Amino acid sequence: MKAYRRKLDVANGRVDLSHGAGGRAMGQLIEGIFHKAFDNDWLRAGNDQSAFSVPGGRMVMTTDGYVVSPLFFPGGNIGTLAVHGTINDIAMAGAVPLYLSASFIIEEGFPFAYLERIAQSMGAASREAGVPIITGDTKVVERGKADGVFISTAGVGMVPDGLDLRSDAARPGDAVIISGSIGDHGVAVMSKRENLEFDTDIVSDSAALHGLVADMVAAGGAHIRLMRDPTRGGIAATLNEIASQSRVGFRIDEDKIPLKPEVAAACEFLGLDPLNVANEGKLVAVVAPEGADAVLATMRAHPLGSEAALVGHVVADDNCFVQMTTSCGGRIVDWLSGEQLPRIC
Amino acid sequence: MKAYRRKLDVANGRVDLSHGAGGRAMGQLIEGIFHKAFDNDWLRAGNDQSAFSVPGGRMVMTTDGYVVSPLFFPGGNIGTLAVHGTINDIAMAGAVPLYLSASFIIEEGFPFAYLERIAQSMGAASREAGVPIITGDTKVVERGKADGVFISTAGVGMVPDGLDLRSDAARPGDAVIISGSIGDHGVAVMSKRENLEFDTDIVSDSAALHGLVADMVAAGGAHIRLMRDPTRGGIAATLNEIASQSRVGFRIDEDKIPLKPEVAAACEFLGLDPLNVANEGKLVAVVAPEGADAVLATMRAHPLGSEAALVGHVVADDNCFVQMTTSCGGRIVDWLSGEQLPRIC
């Protein structure tokens, strides 16, 4: 706990948008209220999914709520996001996703036609991924008590024997690999947001990464320390999270991070750092040095990893700083502290 | 499909509160949009949970969204409801609940103190039930875009070897057993609703039923055809659902249905039929005649089944009617057609 963090004022405080932004404030809310109340080692492990043993092996379970606005955006909609996001959280444990559930909270007056479009694309995404939605729930609230539709998906998967990826496993010298260009999803959603619309050809990168992960595990399973999908809060939040969980630092090279020129331009226009912008079809892998080449080559051979790049290394650092070499020297990459991109997923 | 049902007008229609009420309209929405889009046998089976095989046996998965209003009510709150409800949906398959997930969608401005109170009672409910919440998610939406907090929980459980309860398994002659008094939850929530508040000592029956179910399975597992928890839509919806899934009818005796005088009085005051009112700690079991006595005796020996009663039987009926003998003759018990009790869970 760093000294400059403000304590969560549970008695008098209120939830604000920063508590859903994937940054430091969200971490405080989750630790200060949920982890304290639910109090178990699964949550304290701080992964996006939790593992447990069943008679036949090890499984993982995960859940995510989706509140993206607008509901439809270039490259996807809230439904595809919900399917891909939950599959990806399972895949980040190196696990094979098996089944999904979906809970819909719908605002009175929402057109059936929109709901059908969302459901149809969820069905298509789930069939394409080979991960069926086997159970669900539908609730309706009065007009003005929700915003169109919210979807919470949960999922379960099976962990390959012998694989145990952990958020505290990064070690100095490990390679940091990103599977492709960053910021596409966030920019695509922002481009369609009311009062902000701008012209761009950028589409969301929303995709299910379990096929890519299966190839990576087959090629270098023993060398992969951990994987994360840099969604809310972007690469910056993901690297800071890993740094603090593994008690290490990162040294990243800005030039090596794949970034589309149109995304860079849109981020400049919006006043955003692409490192803070959400991705929905990308992963960050921390890999032991001896496995880095094999894992990177395997990723590049997969359509969803063709632009994969080794962007830096884990370093020993008691401060757990994420440092980045830039064209004009270097800087510290911090968490996003406020809420610049509400409802991006 | 009965001829007098109105078709779902997907092109021009909109979601209204009846689509979340647990009755016929909700069934149409789920079939007409979700089942069609997701298209698999798990959903078509029409259970509140779905079963799948893993190397070590058979598991079930379930999910539910909670939007109850008000958030706090006599006997519980949205958090205890979310924990109990998901445990119960697992238990209704005869399964042993193992793990839960929780997704929170929070409105900006929601007091931390309320969130903590909800989280603390979820933690307590989950510890009391022995079913930990192992993973979760937090999203925040702008003020006015949600209503305090919505919670979606999912859960997984393990089915005892050899047990396979199915919604189409009811057979003429089977006994119908209810585990206790009906309508307590719905009346408790309504009694605190704005513009409606009335004095009553009724508290919600919200409770985790997996202990009761384990005793029932141990005593008469082979004779239990199926179990359901009569939540939204009450006993009426549950019996009609089973009737249409098993292609049978029911003959129920009104006098035998456990009903507290205060609940009966409140329902009269509110203009509600107690058979339509939600329960959150009760179950309906359909049991082969030769096992009915043993199962009923076991239920009565458990604190959550002490008022269990055999209330009627399954009958052969091509119309799948639920008939009830009353003090003044008899009547058909239909689904609730509109939405009399929005946001009861």
Side-chain angles (χ1 to χ4, degrees):
Chain A
M1 193 78 108
K2 287 171 191 168
Y4 56 80
R5 281 205 207 174
R6 219 171 45 167
K7 240 190 114 212
L8 199 74
D9 181 2
V10 175
N12 305 301
R14 286 172 183 270
V15 174
D16 63 47
L17 291 172
S18 76
H19 294 106
R24 190 175 277 135
M26 191 174 89
Q28 279 192 310
L29 178 76
I30 291 174
E31 264 180 48
I33 292 188
F34 296 122
H35 287 192
K36 220 172 110 185
F38 301 163
D39 188 32
N40 62 58
D41 289 336
W42 286 281
L43 293 175
R44 274 187 291 267
N47 290 311
D48 287 340
Q49 75 294 116
S50 281
F52 54 89
S53 294
V54 290
R58 259 176 91 240
M59 295 185 74
V60 289
M61 182 176 191
T62 188
T63 192
D64 262 314
Y66 292 86
V67 300
V68 67
S69 172
L71 295 169
F72 301 92
F73 49 81
N77 62 50
I78 188 172
T80 52
L81 214 55
V83 168
H84 292 156
T86 294
I87 287 175
N88 290 348
D89 278 345
I90 295 168
M92 292 310 108
V96 178
L98 296 175
Y99 302 104
L100 301 178
S101 67
S103 156
F104 295 84
I105 295 173
I106 310 170
E107 184 187 7
E108 179 188 14
F110 192 64
F112 288 147
Y114 289 4
L115 197 60
E116 188 184 46
R117 201 172 138 200
I118 291 166
Q120 288 286 347
S121 43
M122 289 180 81
S126 112
R127 276 188 295 277
E128 197 188 322
V131 188
I133 301 164
I134 62 170
T135 190
D137 185 58
T138 305
K139 293 288 189 303
V140 180
V141 298
E142 304 89 336
R143 209 178 282 265
K145 300 294 186 184
D147 191 16
V149 62
F150 300 141
I151 304 175
S152 289
T153 38
V156 292
M158 193 61 95
V159 184
D161 278 343
L163 198 70
D164 187 11
L165 309 187
R166 309 172 62 96
S167 59
D168 60 358
R171 295 284 168 271
D174 288 351
V176 178
I177 301 174
I178 294 180
S179 66
S181 66
I182 65 166
D184 302 12
H185 173 73
V187 166
V189 172
M190 297 306 282
S191 77
K192 293 298 167 199
R193 201 160 275 181
E194 241 179 301
N195 307 324
L196 195 69
E197 286 186 54
F198 57 92
D199 272 333
T200 175
D201 295 329
I202 296 293
V203 298
S204 169
D205 58 354
S206 181
L209 296 171
H210 58 314
L212 173 63
V213 166
D215 288 358
M216 292 168 66
V217 168
H223 301 300
I224 300 171
R225 308 280 201 205
L226 62 93
M227 289 182 283
R228 283 283 167 89
D229 54 338
T231 55
R232 269 183 297 178
I235 291 287
T238 296
L239 292 179
N240 274 286
E241 232 177 81
I242 300 172
S244 85
Q245 290 174 331
S246 289
R247 309 301 309 158
V248 295
F250 283 100
R251 192 153 306 176
I252 303 297
D253 190 339
E254 186 175 39
D255 286 346
K256 298 204 173 132
I257 298 174
L259 175 66
K260 296 195 170 91
E262 313 91 281
V263 172
C267 283
E268 206 176 314
F269 165 74
L270 294 167
L272 297 172
D273 183 339
L275 297 174
N276 295 136
V277 178
N279 312 276
E280 293 289 342
K282 297 290 151 47
L283 65 81
V284 175
V286 177
V287 183
E290 60 274 26
D293 288 345
V295 170
L296 184 60
T298 304
M299 291 172 75
R300 286 193 174 148
H302 191 282
L304 292 174
S306 57
E307 293 172 21
L310 198 160
V311 299
H313 289 89
V314 178
V315 295
D317 182 352
D318 289 343
N319 290 314
C320 305
F321 285 148
V322 178
Q323 298 183 60
M324 187 165 73
T325 311
T326 67
S327 51
C328 49
R331 66 174 177 101
I332 299 288
V333 176
D334 202 1
W335 309 73
L336 192 63
S337 57
E339 168 53 288
Q340 296 181 41
L341 289 165
R343 301 182 60 186
I344 209 70
C345 61
Chain B
M1 194 78 109
K2 289 171 191 168
Y4 56 79
R5 279 205 207 175
R6 218 172 43 167
K7 240 191 113 212
L8 199 72
D9 181 2
V10 174
N12 305 298
R14 288 173 182 270
V15 174
D16 64 45
L17 291 172
S18 76
H19 295 105
R24 191 175 277 134
M26 189 175 91
Q28 279 192 310
L29 178 77
I30 291 173
E31 264 180 48
I33 292 187
F34 296 121
H35 287 192
K36 220 172 111 185
F38 302 164
D39 188 32
N40 62 57
D41 289 336
W42 286 281
L43 293 174
R44 275 187 291 267
N47 290 311
D48 287 340
Q49 75 295 116
S50 280
F52 54 89
S53 294
V54 290
R58 260 176 91 242
M59 295 185 73
V60 290
M61 181 175 191
T62 189
T63 191
D64 263 314
Y66 292 87
V67 300
V68 67
S69 171
L71 296 169
F72 301 92
F73 48 81
N77 62 51
I78 189 172
T80 52
L81 215 54
V83 168
H84 292 154
T86 293
I87 288 175
N88 291 347
D89 278 345
I90 296 168
M92 292 309 108
V96 179
L98 296 175
Y99 301 104
L100 302 178
S101 67
S103 156
F104 295 84
I105 295 173
I106 310 170
E107 184 186 8
E108 179 188 14
F110 192 64
F112 287 148
Y114 289 3
L115 198 60
E116 189 185 44
R117 200 172 139 201
I118 291 165
Q120 288 286 347
S121 41
M122 288 180 81
S126 113
R127 276 187 295 277
E128 197 188 322
V131 188
I133 300 162
I134 62 170
T135 189
D137 185 57
T138 304
K139 292 287 187 305
V140 180
V141 297
E142 305 89 335
R143 208 178 282 265
K145 299 293 186 185
D147 191 17
V149 63
F150 301 140
I151 304 176
S152 289
T153 39
V156 292
M158 194 59 97
V159 185
D161 278 343
L163 200 70
D164 187 12
L165 309 187
R166 309 173 63 97
S167 59
D168 61 357
R171 295 286 168 271
D174 288 350
V176 178
I177 301 175
I178 294 180
S179 66
S181 65
I182 65 166
D184 301 14
H185 173 74
V187 166
V189 172
M190 297 306 282
S191 76
K192 293 299 167 199
R193 201 160 275 180
E194 239 179 302
N195 306 325
L196 194 71
E197 285 186 54
F198 56 91
D199 272 335
T200 175
D201 294 329
I202 296 293
V203 298
S204 168
D205 59 353
S206 181
L209 295 171
H210 59 313
L212 173 63
V213 167
D215 288 358
M216 291 167 67
V217 168
H223 302 300
I224 300 172
R225 307 281 201 204
L226 63 92
M227 290 182 282
R228 282 284 167 89
D229 55 338
T231 55
R232 270 184 296 178
I235 290 287
T238 296
L239 292 180
N240 274 286
E241 232 176 81
I242 299 172
S244 84
Q245 291 174 330
S246 289
R247 309 301 308 159
V248 295
F250 283 101
R251 192 153 306 174
I252 302 297
D253 190 339
E254 186 175 39
D255 286 347
K256 297 204 174 130
I257 298 175
L259 176 65
K260 296 194 170 93
E262 314 90 282
V263 172
C267 284
E268 207 176 311
F269 164 73
L270 293 167
L272 296 172
D273 182 339
L275 296 174
N276 295 135
V277 179
N279 312 276
E280 293 289 343
K282 298 291 151 48
L283 66 81
V284 175
V286 176
V287 183
E290 59 274 25
D293 288 347
V295 169
L296 184 60
T298 304
M299 291 173 75
R300 287 194 173 146
H302 191 283
L304 293 175
S306 58
E307 293 172 19
L310 198 159
V311 299
H313 289 89
V314 177
V315 294
D317 181 353
D318 289 342
N319 290 312
C320 305
F321 286 148
V322 178
Q323 299 182 60
M324 187 164 73
T325 313
T326 66
S327 50
C328 48
R331 66 173 177 102
I332 299 286
V333 175
D334 202 1
W335 310 71
L336 192 63
S337 55
E339 169 53 289
Q340 295 180 41
L341 290 164
R343 300 181 63 185
I344 209 69
C345 62

